Amino acid sequence: MISSVQPVTASRRIRHLLTVIPDSKSTADSSQVAALDPLQHKWVCVCIVLTAHFWCLTSQFVDFDDPQIFLQRKDLQVPFLDFIKHAFDFSRTDTWRPIRDLSHWLDFTIHGHSPVFSHIHNLVLLSFIVLGFCHLADRLKFSRHWSYIAITLAFVHPVQVETVAWISGRKDLLATLFMLLSLISFERILESQRQWLNFGITLTCFILSVLSKGHMVVLPVLYVCLWQLKTPGRISALRKAPRGRLSVILITSCISLLLANRISGGGISLTNELMSSERYGITLLDKVQLPIRYLSHIFWPLDLNHVYLTHVASGLQYSLATASILLTIAFVFLMHRFWIHGSLLGPIMMCFATLMLPYMHLKPGVVYMADRYLFSALPFLFLGIAYQISIMGVSQLFSKRINRFATFALMATCAVLCIQPHVAFSNSISLWSRMAEVYPQSAWGLNRLGQALYRRGDMKAATGAWLKAASYRPDDPQYLNNAAVSAMATGHFELAKDIILKAQSRHPEDPFVKKNIRSLEYLKKNIMTPKSGKRKIFPLENTEHEALD
């Protein structure tokens, strides 16, 4: 019996060794694959993203909200306690974003008005955001290869340039960073790790995110989506969950409701006349087109610009509206199907839709579309696409070399496409020149271009921009007034006279027209330039609003 038992025992030992050896070998192989695949390292993703956006270090401040939000604000130059008292004051009439203001206060305190250090600040925040998304994907046990590719592509995409290169885009960077910290802390609550500590971190980061940009009041919905990603099932099952998790959602929802009124107030708004205008207001037809317009700019980013203007109703607009409605219905249907069947795509799609919802103009805003509105939502869309590609096994149809080449080629293409919008944000003239290029009939853009050229001293080009703006908006006297002022500044009195007379025939009671007539008569009798010999700069008429949102 002894001899018969021993062979069996020996064979079991051999089998055990044979089962252990392949496992250890596969582990070694997987670690080698991770070492060979650079995209499985967070810092490599960060470096790729920074490479696409390092152009912003050569950019200056631009006259698109930067003066109003940072450069000309006296409240940023006061002691810390006085600043805090003002920043968190509920009675402020401007846009209420205390954490964004605190960030700019730190900028001014540390380096004054240095565009280089302000852009470095943006790049540092961007780096932490990329790391945060990668860490969240790891916590959710997504495929590191696919999730890191999706996150990297989302942030080297050209639509992200505006948020990074524009100093006034700081609000989106801060809000997204605190959103990620809040989601990561909530995920730890779901894992029952240090419940009370993470409960406090989740609430604190939620509040900081909302105080950076009010649109983050939708974060409670993202908590539900994150919960579903961790424990797939029907949403009705969440009611039976532990109270601690539900408490986070209920408390943050109550805070959102309390702050909603203050967040929606303040800042600027369109006049009733412009709001009801088919050309300058945001009509129902414009709102319905938003989903398909955003999707088209994601997958065809060739006509990117920092502001998208609405279009006059036409057959094309109605066709786009119909297609957009069908797209929205299909998106909601698929999201619901994925959710009830326990697929991860359902919650991921819900995250994207939730973050885009505040920009659908349920409350009419000022800016119709903007690249920055996609900043925090785009990574979730790309994560969903990458997840679907991974489960379909598309990459298995090609060799590893082809897959790797295609991935880096796509990233390189996005990085190259980032150059044009970065060049646009390099200074005010290039910014508004890009605006005039994409929207050649935009009187608003031409007016801003004229102002930038006038400040630089290029009076001839400024006069041309304002005359062109006046041809598109003959009902607005400010363009002709500014063109006349620019012509007077160069000594072209006859041209200035013709422009003023044209303005007078259209707007005889306009006070600026009367003032410019008196100025022209005075200048024709006196010397054009002051004793210093420098060209005299006259005040312009400017009734345009800044696009604070």
Side-chain angles (χ1 to χ4, degrees), residues 73-79 82-83 86-87 92 94 101 105:
R73 288 186 57 176
K74 300 299 182 182
D75 58 317
L76 299 180
Q77 304 175 24
V78 298
D82 293 336
F83 167 77
H86 169 75
R92 287 174 55 180
D94 59 344
D101 294 341
W105 181 88

Side-chain angles (χ1 to χ4, degrees), residues 227-228 231-242 245-246 339:
W227 198 336
Q228 180 72 3
T231 55
R234 292 186 178 273
I235 196 168
S236 58
L238 299 179
R239 291 180 296 180
K240 302 178 182 179
R245 305 172 184 181
L246 289 175
W339 189 294

Side-chain angles (χ1 to χ4, degrees), residues 164-233:
V164 180
W166 187 38
I167 297 303
S168 297
R170 179 77 55 78
K171 54 187 178 288
D172 295 280
L173 291 164
L174 291 166
T176 304
L177 178 60
F178 289 122
M179 175 198 77
L180 285 170
L181 294 174
S182 185
L183 290 175
I184 291 170
S185 299
F186 184 73
E187 190 276 337
R188 292 178 181 272
I189 294 176
L190 298 178
E191 291 285 348
S192 301
Q193 297 178 0
R194 298 182 179 181
Q195 294 274 350
W196 286 107
L197 175 62
N198 287 299
F199 183 86
I201 294 174
T202 301
L203 289 182
T204 302
C205 291
F206 164 76
I207 293 172
L208 293 174
S209 182
V210 172
L211 295 184
S212 299
K213 190 172 186 180
H215 296 75
M216 285 299 172
V217 292
V218 299
L219 251 177
V221 181
L222 267 66
Y223 296 144
V224 177
C225 295
L226 188 62
W227 198 336
Q228 180 72 3
L229 286 170
K230 296 291 291 186
T231 55

Side-chain angles (χ1 to χ4, degrees), residues 489-509:
T490 55
H492 293 87
F493 299 119
E494 292 302 320
L495 176 60
K497 180 180 178 181
D498 292 341
I499 295 173
I500 292 175
L501 290 177
K502 183 183 292 186
Q504 187 181 33
S505 64
R506 295 178 181 177
H507 314 279
E509 301 301 323

Side-chain angles (χ1 to χ4, degrees), residues 368-389:
Y368 177 50
M369 291 177 66
D371 299 342
R372 59 187 177 276
Y373 296 165
L374 287 159
F375 182 75
S376 57
L378 194 61
F380 289 103
L381 176 64
F382 280 20
L383 279 171
I385 295 173
Y387 173 77
Q388 186 63 24
I389 292 175

Side-chain angles (χ1 to χ4, degrees), residues 39 47 49 261 386 396 411 431 504 522 535:
L39 288 176
C47 291
V49 172
N261 185 53
Q396 297 178 4
M411 291 182 182
L431 180 72
Q504 187 181 33
Y522 173 81
R535 179 182 285 113

Side-chain angles (χ1 to χ4, degrees), residues 312-345:
V312 177
S314 63
L316 175 61
Q317 309 311 317
Y318 283 107
S319 299
L320 287 174
T322 303
S324 187
I325 292 172
L326 295 175
L327 174 67
T328 304
I329 293 173
F331 184 89
V332 173
F333 173 77
L334 289 174
M335 182 172 63
H336 177 259
R337 292 273 298 181
F338 288 135
W339 189 294
I340 63 176
H341 286 89
S343 172
L344 299 182
L345 267 180

